[in-house]
């Protein structure tokens, strides 16, 4: 009976010794792994920071490889309404008010100031390694194409001289002329100094906000500057 107890005690002692050896081995392996530094710091599944790796990343290559959806950057939008008066004469050669008919058309359009970022090249990215700055030189925003939707053109009431009879009949040529004139007046309304200045200020801010995280990802010691060409 005593032999059975002795054998059990020896078995338990051997089992505990084995567990202790396994625990010590796993602990040492874990310490060795955590002590190893490969120079790569994981920030999130899509981002790594290289520390003292000797790898040199080109600012221009990274900045110019931004997704295409940012290539045409709208920095400022404004809405405006313009009107145009149509004149119709009973006789083309007769410039006499009682024989004239008038009708006013009105249109509310939108003007967008944009920067074509796809026009940027390596010459637009200036790196100053001594002062740790990267400067992006951008063009001034320009007024984008103004589209006229014929369905949104409002035609007012007719005003006629006492000798003018009937409605004003518009031809396709007349509609083309009206559209051209409305576009011209919208352009004149939007393309003014105050709008251009506001678009410039917003452009500098927008481009900085887009590319500053890119610059910091390449080298956090660098400062981004945005200037006009």
């Amino acid at each position: 009976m005593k032999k059975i107890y002795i054998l059990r005690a020896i078995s338990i002692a051997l089992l505990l010794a084995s567990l202790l050896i396994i625990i010590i081995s796993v602990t040492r392996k874990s310490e060795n792994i955590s002590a190893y530094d490969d120079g790569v710091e994981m920030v999130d599944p899509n981002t790594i920071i290289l520390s003292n790796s000797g790898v040199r990343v080109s600012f221009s290559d990274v900045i110019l490889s931004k997704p295409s959806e940012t290539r045409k950057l709208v920095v400022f939008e404004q809405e405006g309404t313009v009107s145009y008066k149509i004149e119709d004469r009973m006789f083309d050669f007769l410039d006499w008010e009682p024989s004239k008919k008038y009708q006013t058309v009105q249109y509310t359009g939108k003007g967008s100031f944009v920067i074509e970022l796809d026009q940027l090249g390596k010459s637009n990215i200036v790196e100053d390694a001594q002062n740790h700055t990267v400067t992006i030189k951008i063009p001034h925003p320009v007024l984008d194409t103004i589209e006229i939707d014929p369905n949104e053109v409002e035609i007012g009431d007719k005003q006629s001289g006492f000798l003018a009879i009937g409605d004003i009949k518009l031809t396709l040529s007349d509609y083309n002329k009206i559209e051209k004139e409305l576009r011209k007046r919208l352009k004149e309304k939007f393309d003014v100094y105050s709008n251009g200045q506001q678009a410039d200020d917003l452009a500098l801010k927008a481009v900085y906000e887009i590319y500053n995280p890119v610059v910091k990802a390449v080298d956090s010691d660098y400062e981004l500057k945005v200037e006009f060409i």
Side-chain angles (χ1 to χ4, degrees), residues 53-91:
S53 63
V55 176
R56 186 69 180 92
V57 181
S58 168
F59 283 104
S60 60
D61 288 343
V62 177
I63 290 172
L64 297 176
S65 66
K66 282 292 289 180
S68 59
E69 61 266 20
T70 63
R71 291 308 187 192
K72 190 171 186 178
L73 179 63
V74 178
V75 297
F76 180 53
E77 288 184 328
Q78 190 180 53
E79 211 172 65
T81 301
V82 293
S83 60
Y84 174 60
K85 183 177 284 189
I86 306 167
E87 177 188 301
D88 185 27
R89 300 181 182 184
M90 183 180 295
F91 304 103

Short mmCIF file of all heavy atoms in Angstrom, two decimals, residues 53-91:
data_model
loop_
_atom_site.label_atom_id
_atom_site.label_comp_id
_atom_site.label_asym_id
_atom_site.label_seq_id
_atom_site.Cartn_x
_atom_site.Cartn_y
_atom_site.Cartn_z
N SER A 53 15.54 52.80 -41.13
CA SER A 53 15.65 51.67 -42.04
C SER A 53 16.54 51.97 -43.23
O SER A 53 16.92 51.07 -43.96
CB SER A 53 14.26 51.28 -42.56
OG SER A 53 13.72 52.36 -43.31
N GLY A 54 16.85 53.25 -43.44
CA GLY A 54 17.66 53.62 -44.60
C GLY A 54 16.85 53.75 -45.86
O GLY A 54 17.37 54.10 -46.91
N VAL A 55 15.54 53.51 -45.79
CA VAL A 55 14.67 53.64 -46.97
C VAL A 55 14.30 55.11 -47.15
O VAL A 55 13.86 55.76 -46.22
CB VAL A 55 13.40 52.78 -46.80
CG1 VAL A 55 12.48 53.00 -48.00
CG2 VAL A 55 13.76 51.32 -46.66
N ARG A 56 14.47 55.63 -48.37
CA ARG A 56 14.16 57.04 -48.64
C ARG A 56 12.98 57.09 -49.61
O ARG A 56 13.07 56.60 -50.73
CB ARG A 56 15.37 57.75 -49.26
CG ARG A 56 15.15 59.25 -49.43
CD ARG A 56 15.10 59.93 -48.07
NE ARG A 56 14.89 61.35 -48.20
CZ ARG A 56 13.70 61.95 -48.20
NH1 ARG A 56 12.61 61.23 -48.06
NH2 ARG A 56 13.61 63.25 -48.31
N VAL A 57 11.88 57.66 -49.16
CA VAL A 57 10.68 57.76 -49.98
C VAL A 57 10.62 59.13 -50.62
O VAL A 57 10.85 60.14 -49.97
CB VAL A 57 9.40 57.52 -49.12
CG1 VAL A 57 8.16 57.60 -49.99
CG2 VAL A 57 9.49 56.17 -48.43
N SER A 58 10.29 59.18 -51.92
CA SER A 58 10.20 60.44 -52.64
C SER A 58 8.87 61.12 -52.34
O SER A 58 7.81 60.53 -52.52
CB SER A 58 10.32 60.20 -54.15
OG SER A 58 9.96 61.35 -54.86
N PHE A 59 8.94 62.37 -51.84
CA PHE A 59 7.71 63.12 -51.57
C PHE A 59 6.88 63.28 -52.84
O PHE A 59 5.66 63.13 -52.83
CB PHE A 59 8.03 64.50 -50.99
CG PHE A 59 8.43 64.48 -49.54
CD1 PHE A 59 9.75 64.62 -49.16
CD2 PHE A 59 7.48 64.30 -48.56
CE1 PHE A 59 10.11 64.60 -47.83
CE2 PHE A 59 7.83 64.28 -47.21
CZ PHE A 59 9.16 64.43 -46.84
N SER A 60 7.53 63.62 -53.94
CA SER A 60 6.80 63.87 -55.18
C SER A 60 6.08 62.62 -55.66
O SER A 60 4.93 62.69 -56.11
CB SER A 60 7.75 64.39 -56.27
OG SER A 60 8.77 63.46 -56.53
N ASP A 61 6.74 61.45 -55.56
CA ASP A 61 6.10 60.22 -56.01
C ASP A 61 4.85 59.92 -55.19
O ASP A 61 3.82 59.51 -55.74
CB ASP A 61 7.08 59.04 -55.90
CG ASP A 61 8.17 59.10 -56.96
OD1 ASP A 61 7.98 59.85 -57.95
OD2 ASP A 61 9.20 58.44 -56.80
N VAL A 62 4.94 60.12 -53.89
CA VAL A 62 3.79 59.83 -53.03
C VAL A 62 2.67 60.84 -53.24
O VAL A 62 1.50 60.48 -53.38
CB VAL A 62 4.22 59.83 -51.54
CG1 VAL A 62 3.02 59.61 -50.64
CG2 VAL A 62 5.27 58.76 -51.30
N ILE A 63 3.00 62.12 -53.30
CA ILE A 63 1.99 63.17 -53.47
C ILE A 63 1.28 63.04 -54.81
O ILE A 63 0.05 63.16 -54.90
CB ILE A 63 2.63 64.56 -53.33
CG1 ILE A 63 3.04 64.81 -51.87
CG2 ILE A 63 1.68 65.66 -53.80
CD1 ILE A 63 3.85 66.07 -51.66
N LEU A 64 2.04 62.77 -55.86
CA LEU A 64 1.45 62.70 -57.19
C LEU A 64 0.70 61.40 -57.43
O LEU A 64 0.04 61.25 -58.46
CB LEU A 64 2.54 62.87 -58.26
CG LEU A 64 3.25 64.22 -58.25
CD1 LEU A 64 4.37 64.23 -59.27
CD2 LEU A 64 2.26 65.35 -58.53
N SER A 65 0.78 60.46 -56.50
CA SER A 65 0.07 59.20 -56.67
C SER A 65 -1.24 59.18 -55.90
O SER A 65 -1.84 58.12 -55.74
CB SER A 65 0.95 58.04 -56.18
OG SER A 65 1.16 58.11 -54.78
N LYS A 66 -1.69 60.35 -55.44
CA LYS A 66 -2.97 60.42 -54.74
C LYS A 66 -4.08 59.93 -55.66
O LYS A 66 -4.01 60.05 -56.87
CB LYS A 66 -3.28 61.86 -54.30
CG LYS A 66 -2.52 62.29 -53.07
CD LYS A 66 -2.97 61.56 -51.83
CE LYS A 66 -4.36 62.00 -51.40
NZ LYS A 66 -4.79 61.27 -50.19
N PRO A 67 -5.17 59.36 -55.09
CA PRO A 67 -6.26 58.83 -55.92
C PRO A 67 -6.81 59.87 -56.89
O PRO A 67 -6.83 61.06 -56.62
CB PRO A 67 -7.31 58.44 -54.87
CG PRO A 67 -6.54 58.18 -53.63
CD PRO A 67 -5.39 59.16 -53.66
N SER A 68 -7.30 59.39 -58.03
CA SER A 68 -7.75 60.27 -59.10
C SER A 68 -8.97 61.10 -58.72
O SER A 68 -9.24 62.11 -59.36
CB SER A 68 -8.08 59.44 -60.34
OG SER A 68 -9.09 58.49 -60.05
N GLU A 69 -9.72 60.70 -57.67
CA GLU A 69 -10.90 61.47 -57.34
C GLU A 69 -10.57 62.87 -56.81
O GLU A 69 -11.44 63.73 -56.74
CB GLU A 69 -11.78 60.74 -56.31
CG GLU A 69 -11.11 60.47 -54.97
CD GLU A 69 -10.48 59.10 -54.92
OE1 GLU A 69 -10.23 58.52 -55.98
OE2 GLU A 69 -10.26 58.59 -53.81
N THR A 70 -9.33 63.10 -56.43
CA THR A 70 -8.95 64.43 -55.94
C THR A 70 -8.29 65.26 -57.03
O THR A 70 -7.81 66.34 -56.77
CB THR A 70 -7.98 64.31 -54.76
OG1 THR A 70 -6.76 63.68 -55.22
CG2 THR A 70 -8.57 63.51 -53.63
N ARG A 71 -8.25 64.77 -58.26
CA ARG A 71 -7.52 65.46 -59.31
C ARG A 71 -8.19 66.78 -59.69
O ARG A 71 -7.52 67.75 -60.00
CB ARG A 71 -7.39 64.56 -60.54
CG ARG A 71 -6.46 63.38 -60.33
CD ARG A 71 -5.12 63.82 -59.79
NE ARG A 71 -4.16 62.73 -59.73
CZ ARG A 71 -3.03 62.81 -59.09
NH1 ARG A 71 -2.70 63.89 -58.45
NH2 ARG A 71 -2.19 61.80 -59.07
N LYS A 72 -9.51 66.82 -59.72
CA LYS A 72 -10.22 68.06 -60.02
C LYS A 72 -10.85 68.54 -58.71
O LYS A 72 -11.89 68.06 -58.30
CB LYS A 72 -11.28 67.82 -61.09
CG LYS A 72 -11.89 69.10 -61.63
CD LYS A 72 -12.77 68.80 -62.84
CE LYS A 72 -13.26 70.09 -63.46
NZ LYS A 72 -14.08 69.84 -64.67
N LEU A 73 -10.18 69.48 -58.09
CA LEU A 73 -10.58 69.91 -56.75
C LEU A 73 -11.43 71.18 -56.83
O LEU A 73 -10.97 72.23 -57.28
CB LEU A 73 -9.34 70.17 -55.91
CG LEU A 73 -9.56 70.66 -54.48
CD1 LEU A 73 -10.30 69.60 -53.66
CD2 LEU A 73 -8.23 71.00 -53.82
N VAL A 74 -12.69 71.07 -56.40
CA VAL A 74 -13.58 72.23 -56.33
C VAL A 74 -13.33 72.93 -55.00
O VAL A 74 -13.57 72.36 -53.94
CB VAL A 74 -15.06 71.81 -56.45
CG1 VAL A 74 -15.97 73.04 -56.32
CG2 VAL A 74 -15.32 71.10 -57.76
N VAL A 75 -12.86 74.16 -55.05
CA VAL A 75 -12.50 74.86 -53.82
C VAL A 75 -13.54 75.91 -53.42
O VAL A 75 -13.58 76.33 -52.26
CB VAL A 75 -11.12 75.53 -53.95
CG1 VAL A 75 -10.05 74.47 -54.15
CG2 VAL A 75 -11.08 76.55 -55.09
N PHE A 76 -14.37 76.33 -54.37
CA PHE A 76 -15.32 77.39 -54.05
C PHE A 76 -16.49 77.33 -55.03
O PHE A 76 -16.30 77.20 -56.23
CB PHE A 76 -14.64 78.76 -54.14
CG PHE A 76 -15.54 79.94 -53.83
CD1 PHE A 76 -16.27 79.99 -52.66
CD2 PHE A 76 -15.66 81.00 -54.72
CE1 PHE A 76 -17.10 81.07 -52.37
CE2 PHE A 76 -16.47 82.08 -54.45
CZ PHE A 76 -17.19 82.12 -53.27
N GLU A 77 -17.70 77.39 -54.51
CA GLU A 77 -18.91 77.39 -55.34
C GLU A 77 -19.79 78.58 -54.96
O GLU A 77 -19.87 78.94 -53.78
CB GLU A 77 -19.70 76.10 -55.16
CG GLU A 77 -19.07 74.87 -55.79
CD GLU A 77 -19.94 73.65 -55.67
OE1 GLU A 77 -20.69 73.53 -54.67
OE2 GLU A 77 -19.89 72.81 -56.57
N GLN A 78 -20.44 79.13 -55.96
CA GLN A 78 -21.34 80.25 -55.69
C GLN A 78 -22.52 80.18 -56.64
O GLN A 78 -22.39 79.79 -57.80
CB GLN A 78 -20.61 81.58 -55.86
CG GLN A 78 -21.42 82.77 -55.35
CD GLN A 78 -20.68 84.08 -55.52
OE1 GLN A 78 -20.22 84.40 -56.61
NE2 GLN A 78 -20.56 84.85 -54.45
N GLU A 79 -23.67 80.57 -56.12
CA GLU A 79 -24.89 80.57 -56.93
C GLU A 79 -25.27 82.00 -57.28
O GLU A 79 -25.05 82.92 -56.48
CB GLU A 79 -26.03 79.91 -56.14
CG GLU A 79 -27.04 79.20 -57.01
CD GLU A 79 -28.04 78.39 -56.19
OE1 GLU A 79 -28.82 79.03 -55.45
OE2 GLU A 79 -28.05 77.16 -56.30
N GLY A 80 -25.81 82.20 -58.47
CA GLY A 80 -26.20 83.54 -58.88
C GLY A 80 -27.33 83.50 -59.90
O GLY A 80 -27.51 82.49 -60.60
N THR A 81 -28.07 84.58 -59.97
CA THR A 81 -29.19 84.68 -60.90
C THR A 81 -28.96 85.83 -61.88
O THR A 81 -28.57 86.92 -61.47
CB THR A 81 -30.52 84.93 -60.14
OG1 THR A 81 -30.74 83.85 -59.22
CG2 THR A 81 -31.69 85.01 -61.11
N VAL A 82 -29.18 85.55 -63.16
CA VAL A 82 -29.04 86.57 -64.19
C VAL A 82 -30.31 86.58 -65.05
O VAL A 82 -31.06 85.59 -65.09
CB VAL A 82 -27.81 86.31 -65.10
CG1 VAL A 82 -26.53 86.49 -64.32
CG2 VAL A 82 -27.87 84.92 -65.72
N SER A 83 -30.54 87.68 -65.71
CA SER A 83 -31.72 87.80 -66.57
C SER A 83 -31.35 88.41 -67.90
O SER A 83 -30.29 89.06 -68.04
CB SER A 83 -32.80 88.65 -65.89
OG SER A 83 -32.31 89.95 -65.62
N TYR A 84 -32.22 88.21 -68.87
CA TYR A 84 -31.96 88.69 -70.23
C TYR A 84 -33.31 89.04 -70.86
O TYR A 84 -34.27 88.25 -70.77
CB TYR A 84 -31.24 87.60 -71.03
CG TYR A 84 -31.04 87.89 -72.48
CD1 TYR A 84 -30.32 89.00 -72.91
CD2 TYR A 84 -31.57 87.03 -73.46
CE1 TYR A 84 -30.13 89.26 -74.26
CE2 TYR A 84 -31.38 87.28 -74.80
CZ TYR A 84 -30.66 88.39 -75.20
OH TYR A 84 -30.47 88.64 -76.54
N LYS A 85 -33.38 90.20 -71.46
CA LYS A 85 -34.64 90.66 -72.06
C LYS A 85 -34.63 90.40 -73.57
O LYS A 85 -33.72 90.80 -74.29
CB LYS A 85 -34.86 92.15 -71.80
CG LYS A 85 -36.19 92.67 -72.33
CD LYS A 85 -36.40 94.13 -71.98
CE LYS A 85 -36.79 94.29 -70.52
NZ LYS A 85 -37.20 95.68 -70.21
N ILE A 86 -35.66 89.70 -74.02
CA ILE A 86 -35.82 89.41 -75.45
C ILE A 86 -36.67 90.51 -76.08
O ILE A 86 -37.71 90.89 -75.54
CB ILE A 86 -36.52 88.05 -75.66
CG1 ILE A 86 -35.79 86.95 -74.90
CG2 ILE A 86 -36.62 87.72 -77.13
CD1 ILE A 86 -36.59 85.66 -74.80
N GLU A 87 -36.23 90.97 -77.20
CA GLU A 87 -36.99 91.99 -77.92
C GLU A 87 -37.46 91.44 -79.26
O GLU A 87 -36.70 90.80 -79.99
CB GLU A 87 -36.11 93.23 -78.17
CG GLU A 87 -36.81 94.32 -78.97
CD GLU A 87 -35.86 95.45 -79.36
OE1 GLU A 87 -35.29 96.08 -78.44
OE2 GLU A 87 -35.69 95.69 -80.57
N ASP A 88 -38.74 91.69 -79.58
CA ASP A 88 -39.30 91.26 -80.86
C ASP A 88 -40.03 92.44 -81.50
O ASP A 88 -40.87 93.08 -80.87
CB ASP A 88 -40.28 90.10 -80.63
CG ASP A 88 -40.79 89.53 -81.94
OD1 ASP A 88 -40.08 89.63 -82.95
OD2 ASP A 88 -41.92 88.99 -81.95
N ARG A 89 -39.66 92.73 -82.73
CA ARG A 89 -40.27 93.86 -83.43
C ARG A 89 -41.30 93.36 -84.44
O ARG A 89 -41.13 92.30 -85.05
CB ARG A 89 -39.21 94.68 -84.16
CG ARG A 89 -38.14 95.27 -83.27
CD ARG A 89 -37.16 96.08 -84.08
NE ARG A 89 -36.07 96.63 -83.26
CZ ARG A 89 -35.13 97.43 -83.72
NH1 ARG A 89 -35.11 97.78 -85.02
NH2 ARG A 89 -34.19 97.87 -82.91
N MET A 90 -42.33 94.15 -84.63
CA MET A 90 -43.31 93.82 -85.64
C MET A 90 -42.67 93.85 -87.03
O MET A 90 -42.89 92.98 -87.87
CB MET A 90 -44.50 94.80 -85.59
CG MET A 90 -45.60 94.47 -86.58
SD MET A 90 -46.96 95.65 -86.49
CE MET A 90 -47.56 95.34 -84.85
N PHE A 91 -41.81 94.86 -87.22
CA PHE A 91 -41.03 94.99 -88.45
C PHE A 91 -39.58 95.19 -88.04
O PHE A 91 -39.27 96.08 -87.26
CB PHE A 91 -41.50 96.16 -89.30
CG PHE A 91 -42.97 96.11 -89.65
CD1 PHE A 91 -43.90 96.91 -88.99
CD2 PHE A 91 -43.42 95.23 -90.63
CE1 PHE A 91 -45.24 96.85 -89.30
CE2 PHE A 91 -44.77 95.17 -90.95
CZ PHE A 91 -45.69 95.97 -90.28
#
